[in-house]
Amino acid sequence: MNRLIFHVDLDAFFASVEELEDPGLKGKPVIVGGRPDKRGVVATANYAARAFGVRSAMTTAQALRRCPQAILKPPQMLLYRQYSERVMAVLNRVTAVIEQVSIDEAFLDLTDYLPDDSTPLELARHLQNQIQTELGLSVSIGIAANKLMAKMAGNAQKPRGLTQVAAGAEADFLALLPVESLWGVGPKTAAQLAELGIKQIGDVARLPEATLVQKFGVSGAKLWRHARGIDNEPVRPSRAIKSLSLETTFARDTGEERVLQEHLMAMSRKLAQRLHRHNLFARTVTVKLRYGDFSTFTRSITAEPATNSTQDLYRRAGRLLQLHWNADRPLRLIGLEVSHFVEGVQQLALFEE
Ligand code: TTP
Ligand code: MG
């Protein structure tokens, strides 16, 4: 089964935060970096300053020669970390499987996490809009079936990019790009490839694997796979998964127990699937009930043994609904959460389902 991976990267991150903190900067070129008289370098620049050729890692002195009217801001790492955490919290609403790879960049695994009524592109746009409206920050998102291609897709269009590479279209997507744009190819490798007359990623893909292994050793084999868009690296969650949850808001408040039980069943099935994928077993099942007047209640059962079976989750959830729902009052939302995980108790799974 194809995986669904997003690569999320904030646009001109440090500079965007500076613009948020001081709205007077909007529309003006902004450089975040060290002082020119202290041999400082550019951490980043907003897109207005980039139009003048300002780039990360050049000296601030050179950057100011290219763009003398730019406003220079000293980096405020603590502040950027706070914003970064808020962004990660928004991402955490759509999947628990988040690998943060830098202060402004993360891979998300959405396999088993795509809502039924949404395409990958719609979900990415939704995330992009949420981060924009809630935090005022703009992001670019790459969508693909592996991390390499999600990253390459994300790089293809910035700022505010949304780029999807369909499964099977990886090699075509890469073929005409310069080799140095391939993830993991530095200037040294690019120069060595140039000696072989190789400029585009497609040229690398056409070489025999043995040629690359001969020249670059183990990393040659990886280069060969990457040039074809092949990458099986899993998204490794940066933080342990503590809970998994789903909720449904009804189009119209619902007081029919059959309908509510059906929703609990469907959510149990999906959460069981996610537990299986992450090799987790849950001890606690929590049902969330929200009435028409927005009053909200959560009720839990913690029981041994920990489980990852649809039937077990549903039995516990269904019982919670029967015990705690005031059947005279229709619900506007029902939710289900599993938590208190134990990992990989495989022998239990033999008796399930
Ligand atoms: P990037 O994501 O590489 O750059 P960016 O977010 O500023 O711009 P964009 O993604 O739109 O191209 O890096 C994230 C932050 O990391 C960046 O805002 C500042 C910091 N950084 C440095 O301090 N030094 C560097 O050389 C680079 C590349 C980034
Ligand atoms: Mg960025």
Side-chain angles (χ1 to χ4, degrees):
M1 181 185 139
N2 280 330
R3 293 184 291 156
L4 173 61
I5 313 292
F6 284 7
H7 177 262
V8 179
D9 188 303
L10 289 142
D11 299 323
F13 180 45
F14 294 1
S16 303
V17 172
E18 294 299 335
E19 284 178 21
L20 273 179
E21 295 286 310
D22 178 0
L25 298 176
K26 263 248 134 55
K28 296 177 187 160
V30 176
I31 295 172
V32 178
R35 283 167 49 170
D37 57 339
K38 294 262 171 76
R39 294 205 281 177
V41 295
V42 175
T44 194
N46 67 1
Y47 279 76
R50 289 183 202 194
F52 292 87
V54 177
R55 296 287 177 268
S56 290
M58 69 170 45
T59 64
T60 306
Q62 189 187 1
L64 288 172
R65 278 196 295 277
R66 291 194 178 182
C67 185
Q69 71 275 39
I71 296 160
L72 179 64
K73 289 279 178 181
Q76 308 188 69
M77 289 310 297
L78 215 63
L79 186 65
Y80 309 146
R81 279 205 199 95
Q82 287 168 356
Y83 274 97
S84 171
E85 269 174 39
R86 283 182 224 159
V87 173
M88 298 301 150
V90 175
L91 302 180
N92 197 233
R93 285 187 222 145
V94 293
T95 176
V97 191
I98 300 177
E99 179 180 345
Q100 191 177 348
V101 286
S102 79
I103 191 165
D104 84 328
E105 194 186 346
F107 287 106
L108 277 57
D109 190 334
L110 290 140
T111 321
D112 289 335
Y113 286 83
L114 185 68
D116 289 337
D117 57 355
S118 169
T119 65
L121 205 57
E122 283 166 351
L123 178 61
R125 190 174 293 121
H126 172 74
L127 261 183
Q128 196 177 45
N129 289 338
Q130 282 202 318
I131 294 168
Q132 185 72 57
T133 51
E134 289 180 32
L135 303 173
L137 291 169
S138 105
V139 299
S140 297
I141 303 182
I143 308 165
N146 64 49
K147 284 163 76 173
L148 165 73
M149 292 310 300
K151 169 94 178 169
M152 295 300 291
N155 288 347
Q157 211 194 329
K158 255 182 165 294
R160 273 179 250 283
L162 275 183
T163 309
Q164 180 170 22
V165 179
E170 289 86 356
D172 286 344
F173 182 88
L174 297 175
L176 300 178
L177 298 176
V179 282
E180 57 272 22
S181 70
L182 187 61
W183 196 24
V185 174
K188 206 175 129 202
T189 309
Q192 284 172 291
L193 286 168
E195 281 168 23
L196 298 174
I198 283 169
K199 296 203 173 67
Q200 294 174 328
I201 298 174
D203 303 332
V204 181
R206 274 187 293 276
L207 284 179
E209 185 183 9
T211 308
L212 288 165
V213 173
Q214 212 169 12
K215 200 160 170 70
F216 300 104
V218 183
S219 56
K222 190 167 170 181
L223 180 60
W224 188 77
R225 283 197 308 277
H226 279 191
R228 292 170 151 68
I230 300 166
D231 170 34
N232 295 317
E233 284 297 303
V235 176
R236 294 189 177 82
S238 310
R239 289 173 210 175
I241 301 170
K242 292 246 168 60
S243 65
L244 296 167
S245 63
L246 281 169
E247 54 185 46
T248 311
T249 302
F250 302 115
R252 209 174 304 131
D253 293 358
T254 294
E256 266 187 75
E257 184 174 354
R258 187 185 52 79
V259 174
L260 298 173
Q261 293 288 4
E262 275 168 12
H263 277 274
L264 285 180
M265 181 65 190
M267 291 191 282
S268 299
R269 194 177 300 118
K270 279 193 191 156
L271 291 180
Q273 213 173 5
R274 294 177 191 179
L275 288 168
H276 271 285
R277 181 171 291 276
H278 305 317
N279 196 27
L280 295 173
F281 295 75
R283 276 184 285 150
T284 300
V285 172
T286 303
V287 165
K288 177 171 166 184
L289 306 175
R290 178 168 294 153
Y291 293 103
D293 64 357
F294 279 86
S295 57
T296 305
F297 301 82
T298 57
R299 294 290 180 267
S300 300
I301 294 182
T302 298
E304 302 283 354
T307 182
N308 67 356
S309 98
T310 302
Q311 286 308 324
D312 271 358
L313 296 182
Y314 172 62
R315 250 197 313 277
R316 295 176 196 184
R319 185 145 19 103
L320 284 170
L321 181 72
Q322 284 172 341
L323 283 173
H324 300 290
W325 173 48
N326 176 352
D328 299 333
R329 298 177 65 195
L331 293 176
R332 76 173 271 122
L333 173 151
I334 189 161
L336 184 61
E337 180 182 86
V338 291
S339 59
H340 286 119
F341 297 141
V342 287
E343 218 171 304
V345 196
Q346 254 118 7
Q347 65 273 26
L348 282 177
L350 296 176
F351 305 102
E352 313 277 353
E353 275 154 270

